[in-house]
Amino acid sequence: MRLPAPRGPISTALFACLSGEPGPVPSQLTELVDALPETTADARSDEDVQISLWTCYGLTYDGFEGVDERWEWQPSLLTVRGALEAVFERDVLAEVRLPEDLTPEGVPAFLMDICGPSTPAGLLKFMHQNATLEQFKEMVIIRSIDGLHEADAHTWAIPRVTGRAKSALIEIQADEYGGGMPGRSHSDLYAILMSELDLDPEYGAYIDQIPAVGLCLHTIRSMFGLHHRWRGGILGNLAATEIGSSFINRRFSEGLARVGASKKARWFYDEHVLADAVHEQLAAHDMCGSFVADYPAEWDRVVIGALGTLNIRGLFATTVTGAWAAEVTSLRELATV
């Protein structure tokens, strides 16, 4: 895919840099990211930070047309990415409150209680009972960078865990990838959903319209998945994704049926109704429970991963429903030439 349009001074400098030969980044870019702790109030909703971070991670996913693949591991760019991650991590952690009396043994039950259903109730009720077809399309567009890459960030955790936790993770991931059957992976089903709604299923087709809070749902997974020290975080993120998902996806499917969408369009959601009813138990007990039993010192990373994810979902829901309440689109307006 092409590089997205910049959204501020950091992404402007970054994208100009990526268009050239891999090498040291310009001092202007370094100075901008070094100043982030003072210039960014909340990286989770900062358009410039999120599009820059999403693009840095994009080098490890599909890459970009016209961007030399050697940029992915260019040390100077990794320094830039690290500065973006540091301010993002700061603002994710600022919203997390760990229960004082929670122990490693209590993590699975805590996850089952706090994560299900993990979509904010107001947004879920609205999508089920009130959303128009156009609002469903907006939601599908915003979530497309997740849906069309579903499971990929979590797969990075497989070589970082052992024992029963690894087996449970692989079991979940095998279902996410359609059990090895072409055309049945959840990302394939999301592409079908988009096509049935007359949307472009090409990954990144709508990147310039997706707001920071939508990018953030993807960048938190990428940050946790790409760092060994956050292996507990990516497991917690997956648990927050799977627990309650069966109920959530049933409501989304019923909402789509209400506005006249085809059964084929609802396939993505219907597939999750059955799969995730099993996955939530695997995620909480066999995956996260086994992980914290093997690595009790990292139990807090699992909980941070779940709570950080839920907080971002809350921010996302507030932003989207707030736009709709004001009778405006939740998508970013495309720049006019």
Side-chain angles (χ1 to χ4, degrees):
M1 62 170 292
R2 60 179 174 78
L3 282 171
R7 303 186 186 183
I10 295 174
S11 50
T12 297
L14 173 62
F15 298 167
C17 186
L18 291 177
S19 298
E21 285 287 313
V25 301
S27 58
Q28 175 197 9
L29 179 54
T30 302
E31 291 168 1
L32 286 168
V33 295
D34 284 348
L36 277 174
E38 289 74 41
T39 58
T40 302
D42 189 346
R44 302 175 307 159
S45 56
D46 188 302
E47 298 288 349
D48 200 20
V49 169
Q50 285 300 318
I51 197 63
S52 298
L53 192 53
W54 178 85
T55 301
C56 287
Y57 290 143
L59 297 170
T60 300
Y61 286 99
D62 299 310
F64 297 94
E65 183 180 328
V67 176
D68 194 309
E69 293 178 340
R70 292 174 294 173
W71 272 115
E72 179 187 2
W73 295 109
Q74 173 62 34
S76 62
L77 185 62
L78 291 178
T79 299
V80 170
R81 194 186 87 178
L84 292 164
E85 288 175 326
V87 71
F88 182 36
E89 181 179 311
R90 177 200 70 181
D91 295 333
V92 168
L93 295 180
E95 299 298 319
V96 171
R97 300 292 181 270
L98 291 173
E100 294 181 0
D101 58 348
L102 187 60
T103 63
E105 294 77 16
V107 167
F110 175 78
L111 293 174
M112 289 296 295
D113 179 59
I114 198 69
C115 296
S118 56
T119 290
L123 176 60
L124 183 59
K125 182 179 180 180
F126 183 85
M127 300 307 295
H128 185 237
Q129 299 181 6
N130 304 108
T132 65
L133 179 59
E134 288 305 311
Q135 288 168 333
F136 262 104
K137 287 183 178 182
E138 285 190 25
M139 179 65 66
V140 170
I141 286 172
I142 295 174
R143 296 305 307 269
S144 63
I145 55 171
D146 257 350
L148 294 173
H149 261 307
E150 183 158 339
D152 290 346
H154 299 124
T155 299
W156 282 321
I158 292 174
R160 294 179 173 149
V161 298
T162 59
R164 181 63 187 123
K166 181 192 286 279
S167 298
L169 174 57
I170 291 172
E171 187 173 350
I172 293 171
Q173 294 299 89
D175 285 343
E176 298 292 328
Y177 290 122
M181 292 184 288
R184 290 297 299 269
S185 72
H186 291 181
S187 60
D188 290 329
L189 301 187
Y190 202 91
I192 291 171
L193 164 65
M194 296 189 76
S195 295
E196 286 291 304
L197 295 181
D198 296 321
L199 299 172
D200 187 345
E202 188 74 21
Y203 184 76
Y206 298 98
I207 188 60
D208 293 328
Q209 293 175 265
I210 299 175
V213 290
L215 297 175
C216 197
L217 294 167
H218 185 70
T219 55
I220 191 172
R221 289 182 174 178
S222 299
M223 181 176 73
F224 287 155
L226 283 168
H227 290 274
H228 186 280
R229 70 187 178 90
W230 278 116
R231 59 182 179 172
I234 192 63
L235 298 184
N237 175 275
L238 179 54
T241 302
E242 300 296 330
I243 298 170
S245 174
S246 180
F247 176 81
I248 293 165
N249 281 287
R250 181 180 291 109
R251 292 296 184 269
F252 267 72
S253 180
E254 290 170 351
L256 264 181
R258 175 180 53 78
V259 297
S262 68
K263 184 173 180 60
K264 193 174 181 181
R266 306 197 306 273
W267 189 10
F268 172 81
Y269 298 114
D270 291 340
E271 182 77 8
H272 287 76
V273 172
L274 294 176
D276 291 352
V278 176
H279 288 179
E280 65 179 12
Q281 296 294 330
L282 279 170
H285 296 280
D286 298 79
M287 185 181 70
C288 292
S290 296
F291 177 77
V292 297
D294 292 339
Y295 305 98
E298 296 184 49
W299 72 267
D300 58 331
R301 299 297 174 94
V302 175
V303 177
I304 288 170
L307 292 179
T309 299
L310 297 179
N311 288 339
I312 287 172
R313 286 183 185 165
L315 178 63
F316 169 79
T318 300
T319 302
V320 172
T321 55
W324 291 343
E327 299 184 346
V328 296
T329 179
S330 60
L331 301 174
R332 297 181 72 247
E333 298 291 341
L334 292 175
T336 56
V337 179

